[in-house]
Amino acid sequence: MSEERSAILADFPGAWVLYWLLIPNLAFMIMWFVGGPPMIPVFALTSMAGIAAAQIPSVTLKRVILAGTIGYSIFYYICVSFNLDIEKASSLFPLLMEISPLRSPEYIISLVAFLVSASIALKKAPHVRRFSSPMSYLIAVLVTIGLLYADHFASADTRSTYSRLPPPGTSFASATGLTGIEVPGPDSRNLVIIIVESWGVPQGERVEAIFDADWKRPHWATRYDVSQGNVPFYGSTTSGELRELCGRYSTYSEVGTFTDDCLPSRYLKAGYQTTAYHGFSRSFFSRDEWYPKIGFGRSKFRDILESEGISECKGVFAGSCDREIPAAIAEQLKSSHSPQMIYFLTLNTHLPIMDDPKLGTADCQLGGTAWAQANPQLCRLFLLHHQLADEIDRMAMDQLLPPTDFLIVGDHFPAFFDRSNRKHFVPGVVPWVSLSYRADANGEELDERIGQSH
């Protein structure tokens, strides 16, 4: 028995396990403790590539192969974290070109951990000796299987929040469909659709109270028929846009096959002016190309909005301040002589959210001092949503605003890195709020205006 044990120990590829398997994936494994995405496909692929590469005599070739697997691992991790299409490498490039990750302490820590582990692996792994026997291969495979099981269990409670595509046979649901606004109504009322970045369904007494205070305002019922609900989400922000604007689970690269089915196209054909507002780069995810295809007659991105006086809000995704755009939309509605279909995709609540006076998130106290200090990222997220809700409220209740319907809906679950923040939201769904203008409110408002004028 002792001889067999000694033989196994002699064949145990310890250096390979350390430098080819564990250290290259150390940064991803650390995320187990805070709730990172499942990495089973990548761990399996990099392990098999590592087993084969470790047997190659050339140190240079080993290093090239290891660098390639490390590069693919980080590509996969970023894509899954942001619900991007893994099969289309181009989907990542706009993200890397536009974001400013060094503004976020969370990204800096992650980057340092990744660079340190990758540097150690690239230095040591190419010098690991080749496997000495079939037993070494078997042990390497068994250790890999153990790593896969560890990842499976570590990511079990957050796995559903990284779903990019619906399961086969999933029935479609959208807030625009549930509220019946996919086609214009006979009275040609204005329509404003607002998709809110990282807007999730809260769970827990404290976060539900904060949410309800913003999105269940009793005075809305004096002018609108108010309804609320949840819809499933799959994928990233663009997937949420196509869910609500085009009535399907799809990707923007496929827009050309269903342009006539999209809500803006229908409203445009019905005589509406169709306008899209988004405070980020026009080229990000090619929105300047596919927005016109789905029926937007004009689009106002960061460059135009800032030229019109909208302030810049800093952040990892720096762009126009969401809180100032509802006032611009209200002015467009009040000054137009034809029916309007206006779409507003928010930006500033893209995670992580910085502590920044210009963003309005410095020293966040929402929810109480103790809670805010214990949950800084949650506090900032809810604070920015609160700012947005206040401005939507001001627009919707403006006595001079012409009859307008509003739909506010989330794009996707708040994609926090850590599970302690993710657990505050219901997985797999986003909220929606509909404000449908009541015709009988017009007379009351007219009386109020006359009374005010006297």
Side-chain angles (χ1 to χ4, degrees), residues 210 214 349 353 359-366 377-390:
I210 296 173
D214 281 333
T349 45
I353 300 170
L359 193 57
T361 55
D363 191 29
C364 180
Q365 298 293 316
L366 195 65
Q377 278 289 325
L378 272 177
C379 185
R380 294 171 202 158
L381 176 69
F382 279 110
L383 181 58
L384 290 182
H385 284 157
H386 169 71
Q387 294 174 7
L388 177 67
D390 277 352

Side-chain angles (χ1 to χ4, degrees), residues 119-179:
S119 298
I120 294 173
L122 288 169
K123 181 179 180 180
K124 295 288 189 177
H127 299 287
V128 170
R129 67 178 184 177
R130 300 166 66 181
F131 289 176
S132 58
S133 70
M135 180 61 71
S136 298
Y137 288 92
L138 177 60
I139 294 174
V141 171
L142 291 176
V143 172
T144 298
I145 293 173
L147 178 62
L148 302 186
Y149 270 105
D151 184 78
H152 174 78
F153 288 114
S155 63
D157 60 347
T158 57
R159 193 178 303 121
S160 63
T161 66
Y162 292 100
S163 298
R164 192 181 64 82
L165 296 173
T170 300
S171 58
F172 179 79
S174 69
T176 53
L178 293 172
T179 53

Side-chain angles (χ1 to χ4, degrees), residues 81-84 161 163 195-201 231-241 243 287 345-346 349-351 381 385 409-416 422 425-431:
S81 295
F82 287 97
N83 287 330
L84 302 176
T161 66
S163 298
I195 291 186
V196 182
E197 169 66 38
S198 301
W199 196 37
V201 177
V231 290
F233 79 90
Y234 301 95
S236 62
T237 298
T238 55
S239 301
E241 293 183 88
R243 181 192 71 229
R287 287 189 174 97
L345 173 64
T346 74
T349 45
H350 205 299
L351 301 173
L381 176 69
H385 284 157
V409 59
D411 58 351
H412 55 71
F413 180 98
F416 286 105
R422 284 176 176 254
F425 300 92
V426 179
V429 294
V430 290

Side-chain angles (χ1 to χ4, degrees), residues 35 63 69 198 213 249 256 296 310 324 326 399 420-421 436:
R63 188 166 283 127
T69 59
S198 301
Y249 300 131
F296 285 116
I310 303 295
E324 297 181 18
Q399 294 291 321
S420 63
N421 283 329
S436 180

Side-chain angles (χ1 to χ4, degrees), residues 65-132:
I65 293 173
L66 179 58
T69 59
I70 290 174
Y72 178 76
S73 297
I74 192 65
F75 165 77
Y76 180 95
Y77 189 90
I78 294 173
C79 285
V80 174
S81 295
F82 287 97
N83 287 330
L84 302 176
D85 191 343
I86 298 169
E87 297 178 358
K88 297 180 175 65
S90 60
S91 65
L92 182 59
F93 297 148
L95 180 70
L96 297 178
M97 293 295 293
E98 290 288 349
I99 68 172
S100 302
L102 296 183
R103 291 175 176 166
S104 164
E106 291 87 347
Y107 281 132
I108 292 174
I109 293 171
S110 299
L111 179 61
V112 170
F114 172 76
L115 291 177
V116 170
S117 60
S119 298
I120 294 173
L122 288 169
K123 181 179 180 180
K124 295 288 189 177
H127 299 287
V128 170
R129 67 178 184 177
R130 300 166 66 181
F131 289 176
S132 58

Side-chain angles (χ1 to χ4, degrees), residues 20-43:
W20 279 95
L21 187 63
L22 298 183
I23 288 181
N25 295 309
L26 182 61
F28 310 124
M29 292 161 63
I30 289 174
M31 292 305 295
W32 287 345
F33 301 100
V34 294
M39 294 289 285
I40 289 177
V42 167
F43 287 164

Side-chain angles (χ1 to χ4, degrees), residues 121-448:
L122 288 169
K123 181 179 180 180
K124 295 288 189 177
H127 299 287
V128 170
R129 67 178 184 177
R130 300 166 66 181
F131 289 176
S132 58
S133 70
M135 180 61 71
S136 298
Y137 288 92
L138 177 60
I139 294 174
V141 171
L142 291 176
V143 172
T144 298
I145 293 173
L147 178 62
L148 302 186
Y149 270 105
D151 184 78
H152 174 78
F153 288 114
S155 63
D157 60 347
T158 57
R159 193 178 303 121
S160 63
T161 66
Y162 292 100
S163 298
R164 192 181 64 82
L165 296 173
T170 300
S171 58
F172 179 79
S174 69
T176 53
L178 293 172
T179 53
I181 61 171
E182 300 146 296
V183 294
D187 54 2
S188 297
R189 286 205 300 259
N190 296 317
L191 172 65
V192 175
I193 297 175
I194 302 173
I195 291 186
V196 182
E197 169 66 38
S198 301
W199 196 37
V201 177
Q203 57 180 359
E205 183 177 352
R206 184 67 60 91
V207 292
E208 287 179 28
I210 296 173
F211 181 92
D212 290 349
D214 281 333
W215 304 106
K216 295 184 178 180
R217 304 190 181 208
H219 63 267
W220 284 347
T222 64
R223 192 178 193 193
Y224 300 93
D225 291 323
V226 182
S227 56
Q228 296 180 304
N230 306 329
V231 290
F233 79 90
Y234 301 95
S236 62
T237 298
T238 55
S239 301
E241 293 183 88
L242 294 175
R243 181 192 71 229
E244 298 300 335
L245 296 178
C246 296
R248 64 189 64 217
Y249 300 131
S250 187
T251 63
Y252 67 89
S253 61
E254 299 174 346
V255 157
T257 63
F258 50 78
T259 53
D260 292 338
D261 296 333
C262 297
L263 183 149
S265 291
R266 298 193 188 108
Y267 276 76
L268 186 65
K269 291 176 182 176
Y272 281 68
Q273 289 186 350
T274 55
T275 309
Y277 284 76
H278 182 46
F280 204 50
S281 167
R282 62 179 54 248
S283 61
F284 193 60
F285 293 139
S286 305
R287 287 189 174 97
D288 58 341
E289 297 178 12
W290 62 270
Y291 272 16
K293 290 180 181 179
I294 65 172
F296 285 116
R298 59 178 175 171
S299 298
K300 293 189 175 185
F301 295 103
R302 179 176 58 197
D303 54 346
I304 293 178
L305 292 172
E306 293 183 1
S307 72
E308 294 180 351
I310 303 295
S311 304
E312 181 187 22
C313 278
K314 296 293 185 180
V316 176
F317 288 78
S320 304
C321 294
D322 291 338
R323 60 178 177 264
E324 297 181 18
I325 294 177
I329 293 174
E331 286 304 311
Q332 179 176 333
L333 292 170
K334 289 187 285 188
S335 63
S336 298
H337 300 289
S338 58
Q340 301 290 307
M341 184 263 141
I342 298 177
Y343 168 60
F344 170 29
L345 173 64
T346 74
L347 171 69
N348 302 154
T349 45
H350 205 299
L351 301 173
I353 300 170
M354 299 190 310
D355 182 347
D356 188 335
K358 292 184 178 179
L359 193 57
T361 55
D363 191 29
C364 180
Q365 298 293 316
L366 195 65
T369 302
W371 184 86
Q373 290 177 351
N375 302 276
Q377 278 289 325
L378 272 177
C379 185
R380 294 171 202 158
L381 176 69
F382 279 110
L383 181 58
L384 290 182
H385 284 157
H386 169 71
Q387 294 174 7
L388 177 67
D390 277 352
E391 294 307 318
I392 292 174
D393 175 73
R394 185 172 287 108
M395 170 174 55
M397 300 307 294
D398 186 340
Q399 294 291 321
L400 300 179
L401 194 77
T404 303
D405 294 336
F406 293 88
L407 174 64
I408 307 132
V409 59
D411 58 351
H412 55 71
F413 180 98
F416 286 105
F417 281 155
D418 57 294
R419 63 167 54 87
S420 63
N421 283 329
R422 284 176 176 254
K423 72 180 182 181
H424 290 287
F425 300 92
V426 179
V429 294
V430 290
W432 59 266
V433 177
S434 171
L435 307 179
S436 180
Y437 181 81
R438 266 205 335 272
D440 63 0
N442 187 53
E444 298 172 6
E445 292 176 3
L446 183 59
D447 291 341
E448 291 179 10

